[in-house]
Amino acid sequence: MIIARSPLRISLGGGGTDLPSYYREHEGFLIAAAIDKYVYVTINRPFNEGIYLKYSEIEHVKTVDEVSHNIIREALKLENLNTPQVEISSIADLPSGTGLGSSGSFTTALLKALYAYRHRHINPEELAELACAIEIDRLKEPIGKQDQYIASVGGITCFAFHKDNSVTFAPLKISRETFHKLEDNLLLFFTGFSRSASEILKDQHIKSQKNDVDMLNNLHFVKEIGYLSKDALESGNTDKFGELMHQHWEHKKKRSGGMSNQDIDTWYETALKNGAIGGKVVGAGGGGFLMFMADDAAKLRTAMTKSGLQEVRFKFDFEGAKVIHT
């Protein structure tokens, strides 16, 4: 049995500029961090022929074309399994549709496991590009590349997305003191509901393709916040980083009417009055997790708990997608 895992992620600045509709014309930049919450994929050879799948649903089919799960179907097609005899299962530490890049984590974990199953090696950059090829090129999802890349690479990483579709990346250069401040004071709270990232990002994708001035100016500004966040964190100014998160959120809400709602706005205002410097909804928006940079983490935890939100504590992951059992 092969077991592979890929980390989920949080975005620390510049999110949204990793969509092809933006970076192919203007180049993108963002900071993302992998966290110690994972998607796990197991692959085994069953006794009988066929494809056996266990995720939120159960499938048993004879051919790859019959597979309903679109990502698994496309990944198996790439493997050219002429006489399929495989069992694939998936579980995750946190629900999908919550803004933590679960789709990209699933795809990279699946591919990592499939390569190990066929006794082949794939490096992190190749893994990320293959995952992007499945989700963006083959399945035409209106999403960006950050999820696949940070899941593959891990760490707290700066990514640049270039007009020729290439991606360059390097670790964020922060001190040990700043690292511990982030782990201690960057807090995640679950809103209690999920949403489809594709639906929310579709509006951004269409407007960017049409060169909508307001959308492009918004993304230009968010990209600049990404660079400023890099400078703030590398200089150890976590308070400034928190203020930039607030600016990011104010502009992010303008991209789509589905980005926020009355509950999220109320929770956000409560947080700002109770120990948060700034924050945002992680991912495409509309639900999932609220993330805050706190100057009083204990006070913020108390206020958010009283508001009915559940905190998910985390540490950063520096391993990326990996096989943990063969």
Side-chain angles (χ1 to χ4, degrees), residues 31-314:
I31 309 167
I35 62 175
D36 63 344
K37 306 300 176 191
Y38 302 97
V39 175
Y40 299 86
V41 171
T42 67
I43 296 184
N44 193 31
R45 183 179 175 86
F47 185 77
N48 296 316
E49 287 189 3
I51 301 171
Y52 299 80
L53 306 179
K54 300 174 184 178
Y55 48 102
S56 58
E57 298 182 17
I58 295 177
E59 296 189 49
H60 177 205
V61 297
K62 293 182 178 180
T63 67
V64 173
D65 287 335
E66 294 176 277
V67 172
S68 296
H69 193 295
N70 56 2
I71 293 175
I72 297 177
R73 183 182 63 249
E74 295 305 317
L76 290 175
K77 282 182 179 179
L78 289 175
E79 289 300 302
N80 295 317
L81 297 178
N82 295 323
T83 55
Q85 190 169 339
V86 64
E87 180 178 358
I88 301 174
S89 302
S90 175
I91 58 172
D93 289 330
L94 295 172
S96 61
T98 53
L100 300 180
S102 58
S103 179
S105 296
F106 171 77
T107 308
T108 51
L110 173 64
L111 290 169
K112 191 76 174 178
L114 282 170
Y115 266 68
Y117 185 67
R118 302 292 293 277
H119 305 290
R120 291 185 294 162
H121 173 72
I122 184 169
N123 68 44
E125 192 166 3
E126 291 172 332
L127 178 63
E129 274 305 310
L130 189 55
C132 289
I134 288 175
E135 293 195 75
I136 299 172
D137 299 332
R138 296 173 75 103
L139 296 176
K140 307 299 181 184
E141 292 287 349
I143 59 173
K145 285 188 170 184
Q146 73 156 313
D147 296 352
Q148 299 84 355
Y149 265 86
I150 191 61
S152 300
V153 174
I156 307 174
T157 307
C158 302
F159 295 95
F161 304 92
H162 304 292
K163 294 179 180 180
D164 63 358
N165 288 318
S166 65
V167 180
T168 53
F169 53 90
L172 185 69
K173 298 176 182 178
I174 57 174
S175 67
R176 182 174 295 273
E177 180 183 1
T178 301
F179 173 80
H180 289 306
K181 278 186 178 180
L182 288 177
E183 282 206 329
D184 291 341
N185 296 295
L186 201 57
L187 276 56
L188 273 178
F189 298 94
F190 184 45
T191 62
F193 46 87
S194 59
R195 79 294 174 270
S196 168
S198 295
E199 288 302 314
I200 293 176
L201 291 173
K202 189 180 297 182
D203 186 44
Q204 176 184 323
H205 174 73
I206 292 171
K207 287 182 177 179
S208 295
Q209 283 188 321
K210 293 181 177 179
N211 291 316
D212 181 272
V213 173
D214 290 338
M215 179 61 73
L216 291 178
N217 285 339
N218 187 295
L219 290 169
H220 294 336
F221 185 86
V222 166
K223 181 170 64 175
E224 181 60 26
I225 286 180
Y227 287 120
L228 292 173
S229 297
K230 177 179 181 292
D231 293 340
L233 289 171
E234 291 187 339
S235 65
N237 193 342
T238 52
D239 285 354
K240 179 64 175 178
F241 168 67
E243 293 166 3
L244 289 166
M245 282 180 65
H246 176 70
Q247 292 182 44
H248 186 163
W249 175 237
E250 290 300 310
H251 277 73
K252 185 175 179 177
K253 286 191 294 184
K254 298 176 182 177
R255 287 188 219 159
S256 169
M259 196 70 70
S260 188
N261 57 47
Q262 186 174 350
D263 286 334
I264 290 173
D265 291 341
T266 298
W267 292 324
Y268 189 87
E269 289 302 318
T270 299
L272 291 184
K273 295 174 183 177
N274 290 277
I277 302 170
K280 62 175 183 174
V281 171
V282 183
F289 282 88
L290 275 163
M291 179 173 70
F292 298 102
M293 187 69 203
D295 58 6
D296 189 337
K299 185 177 181 181
L300 180 59
R301 284 191 173 103
T302 299
M304 292 294 97
T305 300
K306 287 182 179 179
S307 297
L309 300 189
Q310 178 183 353
E311 182 185 5
V312 173
R313 300 201 182 197
F314 68 90

